[in-house]
Amino acid sequence: MGDKILLIAPRELGRELAAQLSGWGHTSLFAADAEEALDLAFRHKPAISILDDGSDLGEALELVRRFKAEHPWTETIFLAELADIERGARALEFGASDYLIKPVSPHRLGVALRRAQDRLVVRKKLAYLSGHIPNGGLPAALPPLGEETTRAARLYDTLQQYQQLFDEVPCYISVLDHNFTITATNRRFKEEFGDLVGKTCHDVYQGRCEGCPDCPVADTFVDGQSHQYEQVLRAQDGRRFNVLTWTAPLRDAQGEINQVMEMSTDITQIRKLQDHLSSLGMVISSISHGVKGLLTALDGGMYKVRAGLERGDMDRVSKGWELVERMTERIRRTVLDILYYAKERELDTEQVEVADFAKGVAVAGEYAAKKHGLDFKLVLAPDLGRFEVDPNALNPAMINILENAVDACLDDDKDKPRRRILFQVSREDDVLVFDIVDNGKGMDHETLENMFTLFFTSKGSAGTGLGLFIANDTVQQHGGSITVDSEPGEGSHFHVRIPEHPMAMPWERAPGPLKSKNLPF
């Protein structure tokens, strides 16, 4: 963004200068005489003025002097004729920052503007460091230039470097006073948590009106030692961070602790990994009994097969083999669930035809259903189009829900005339909808509330509590959601919504029952 530049010159010269300044991004103000120039300077506070030493402007050198006295933060460039070059030199004595000989070339004008801008920056630095600028305001008069300017500018640049280091340190930094009020934060802190300067830490972090017990900041004020603790911070966008925080005392010139600095490192990923490893250990522990039961049942099936063969009893062989197949399938599903849960993975998405994806899922569901004499129906709406998914993750998740429907029908009253499963796929604008409906045993309120919870299972030793947890996690990774409507003895309806493109946040779960949809049963 350019500067405001006041042009005090004849109209024709003023238009030429304004055109050049406009091309460089500056805004020009015009004045025809001294009084108008001083009035515009008072109202608009231009950074630079360009004053032509024309006969119609009266005593130009006196105007330079008045400008410097009344508007010290405006740098003046004096334009003089070659024959009056001495007046240009005198303009410097009256306070001008530079002078140019007419006609003025764009190159020389540009150099003079940059010198005026640099001069103004240095003077502001000096004023800031010498205390002439309280609370960011401008001083009434500028401190004098001289050797102090160079030293002050170097000191200012050093402070700027330290500020840059403060901002770029790869952790979140805040500084607190004796009242636990945040007095400063670095850039990384502001980006994640907002500008919290002026607020108390216990209010911001804990929602408390008074200090926290066992406060490490308070301990540092007392003993002058660094203390370490772990806390959870919530970012501006709602994300929660696990951070490891160290405190450090900040001392004044007398050596007294007047502030404490907190430096926090994001350890969210480490905590997630620890939680995951802990959960994985619980998974292995929790399924050991279930797997033992499956192996025992598998031994029973093999015994029936062997005994049937020895006695020539093919009915016994058939029943034994059916048991072997069922137990083998459950062991396979258990192992796949464990492998999936053990390996956290990012989505590897690709564009997929929705109809082809649905047919691939249906093949596995139909096989599992018809093997047990269940009716299976696939209904595809027209013009489903494509969607962006990770088929290697979403396909097993959808199959898991279908197999859950098969299990619900198998566990139901065997005398029910028709045990059926419907897999219906439709589109609602940019959302794909997968409805999986069965008329099996249904679920009670407790099962509905906990079905997506890790390790929860209503199948006893036959389940691990991983299948639906993983299915829900996968759908949410795609930015989708699963809602379920079920009544004991009435079957279940899984309603899965997947956006056409993966989203950062999952969809809100749809409220209310889902039976109002026009489904066959």
Side-chain angles (χ1 to χ4, degrees):
M1 184 176 179
D3 292 317
K4 287 182 181 178
I5 299 179
L6 175 60
L7 300 176
I8 313 166
R11 188 166 301 277
E12 184 176 348
L13 176 59
R15 281 198 296 264
E16 293 177 5
L17 293 173
Q20 183 64 64
L21 294 171
S22 177
W24 292 336
H26 300 295
T27 301
S28 298
L29 305 170
F30 293 94
D33 55 45
E35 291 306 318
E36 184 180 8
L38 291 169
D39 179 63
L40 286 173
F42 177 78
R43 288 190 288 117
H44 295 281
K45 296 180 174 55
I48 299 170
S49 67
I50 299 177
L51 171 59
D52 178 54
D53 186 19
S55 59
D56 58 336
L57 292 177
E59 181 48 60
L61 293 178
E62 175 60 21
L63 184 56
V64 172
R65 187 194 64 76
R66 288 189 63 185
F67 250 98
K68 188 50 58 180
E70 298 177 26
H71 304 285
W73 286 104
T74 299
E75 295 294 330
T76 300
I77 299 173
F78 192 80
L79 307 183
E81 298 286 352
L82 179 59
D84 296 323
I85 189 170
E86 186 178 342
R87 285 177 62 80
R90 290 196 62 196
L92 299 181
E93 296 176 8
F94 279 73
S97 62
D98 211 337
Y99 74 90
L100 298 174
I101 301 301
K102 297 186 292 185
V104 179
S105 70
H107 173 72
R108 287 191 293 126
L109 178 62
V111 171
L113 286 175
R114 284 194 295 273
R115 282 202 295 248
Q117 291 167 327
D118 291 343
R119 178 184 170 100
L120 187 58
V121 168
V122 170
R123 304 189 91 184
K124 286 183 177 179
K125 289 179 180 179
L126 179 58
Y128 170 79
L129 292 171
S130 60
H132 284 73
I133 303 183
N135 300 323
L138 298 180
L142 292 172
L145 288 171
E147 293 182 5
E148 293 294 324
T149 302
T150 302
R151 289 198 294 269
R154 288 175 179 171
L155 177 57
Y156 183 87
D157 289 339
T158 301
L159 291 175
Q160 290 292 89
Q161 290 177 352
Y162 277 112
Q163 181 65 45
Q164 184 176 358
L165 288 173
F166 181 66
D167 284 334
E168 298 303 326
V169 170
C171 62
Y172 312 118
I173 301 179
S174 59
V175 180
L176 300 92
D177 62 16
H178 280 281
N179 297 320
F180 306 105
T181 299
I182 300 173
T183 61
T185 57
N186 70 340
R187 180 183 61 80
R188 296 175 69 89
F189 186 101
K190 291 185 180 75
E191 288 176 350
E192 293 292 357
F193 309 109
D195 189 0
L196 303 180
V197 172
K199 300 180 180 179
T200 59
C201 61
H202 45 77
D203 177 35
V204 170
Y205 302 145
Q206 307 296 335
R208 301 168 60 96
C209 297
E210 54 187 28
C212 306
D214 303 320
C215 174
V217 174
D219 292 341
T220 299
F221 272 118
V222 172
D223 60 23
Q225 302 297 312
S226 176
H227 294 273
Q228 176 183 312
Y229 68 106
E230 186 174 333
Q231 61 180 328
V232 177
L233 303 181
R234 185 182 295 275
Q236 296 182 89
D237 59 8
R239 290 176 297 136
R240 297 174 68 85
F241 288 82
N242 291 79
V243 296
L244 186 61
T245 301
W246 290 265
T247 62
L250 300 179
R251 301 178 185 274
D252 58 20
Q254 289 72 41
E256 298 295 328
I257 301 174
N258 60 353
Q259 296 186 101
V260 168
M261 179 166 59
E262 288 188 314
M263 296 164 287
S264 302
T265 302
D266 185 1
I267 59 170
T268 305
Q269 294 301 320
I270 296 175
R271 288 292 174 260
K272 284 184 176 179
L273 178 60
Q274 289 177 336
D275 292 344
H276 187 70
L277 292 174
S278 176
S279 298
L280 187 58
M282 293 175 64
V283 168
I284 295 173
S285 175
S286 67
I287 67 172
S288 60
H289 179 72
V291 171
K292 184 184 295 184
L294 293 174
L295 292 174
T296 299
L298 184 60
D299 286 339
M302 290 188 294
Y303 171 78
K304 285 186 177 182
V305 172
R306 185 166 55 251
L309 290 174
E310 290 174 353
R311 301 175 187 178
D313 186 349
M314 297 309 297
D315 182 59
R316 189 179 183 89
V317 170
S318 178
K319 290 181 179 179
W321 185 247
E322 181 182 349
L323 182 59
V324 168
E325 282 187 324
R326 193 183 317 138
M327 293 304 105
T328 302
E329 175 61 19
R330 285 183 173 174
I331 291 172
R332 181 190 68 83
R333 286 163 57 182
T334 299
V335 171
L336 289 177
D337 285 346
I338 295 171
L339 290 176
Y340 184 94
Y341 183 75
K343 181 182 179 182
E344 284 196 353
R345 57 195 294 272
E346 296 295 326
L347 294 181
D348 184 13
T349 62
E350 59 184 87
Q351 287 288 329
V352 176
E353 290 288 343
V354 179
D356 293 342
F357 173 83
K359 290 174 184 177
V361 173
V363 167
E366 184 175 18
Y367 172 77
K370 293 194 171 181
K371 184 171 67 172
H372 299 290
L374 309 178
D375 290 343
F376 183 90
K377 185 176 183 180
L378 171 65
V379 178
L380 299 179
D383 302 322
L384 289 171
R386 299 162 67 86
F387 68 155
E388 184 184 352
V389 293
D390 182 347
N392 293 324
L394 191 59
N395 184 285
M398 300 300 295
I399 291 175
N400 218 320
I401 298 175
L402 279 176
E403 290 179 340
N404 190 79
V406 171
D407 289 342
C409 289
L410 292 178
D411 293 339
D412 194 26
D413 182 5
K414 301 300 189 293
D415 295 330
K416 185 175 287 186
R418 289 183 62 196
R419 290 175 291 167
R420 298 170 291 176
I421 296 173
L422 168 71
F423 182 32
Q424 178 171 293
V425 184
S426 57
R427 175 184 278 271
E428 295 179 3
D429 297 324
D430 58 351
V431 178
L432 282 305
V433 180
F434 299 84
D435 288 295
I436 299 171
V437 187
D438 68 73
N439 66 342
K441 68 175 184 177
M443 290 177 276
D444 57 24
H445 179 74
E446 180 187 3
T447 303
L448 274 173
E449 288 292 317
N450 296 284
M451 61 188 306
F452 296 125
T453 304
L454 184 62
F455 306 135
F456 178 83
T457 177
S458 60
K459 302 174 184 178
S461 61
T464 63
L466 280 175
L468 289 180
F469 169 82
I470 291 172
N472 187 54
D473 184 67
T474 303
V475 168
Q476 289 193 344
Q477 261 194 299
H478 283 80
S481 66
I482 305 177
T483 49
V484 185
D485 182 47
S486 184
E487 293 289 341
E490 298 294 327
S492 301
H493 175 187
F494 282 71
H495 182 71
V496 184
R497 297 172 63 85
I498 305 289
E500 192 176 67
H501 301 285
M503 300 174 63
M505 297 296 288
W507 289 79
E508 293 293 332
R509 293 195 171 190
L514 300 169
K515 288 293 186 180
S516 58
K517 294 178 69 67
N518 187 23
L519 298 172
F521 56 94

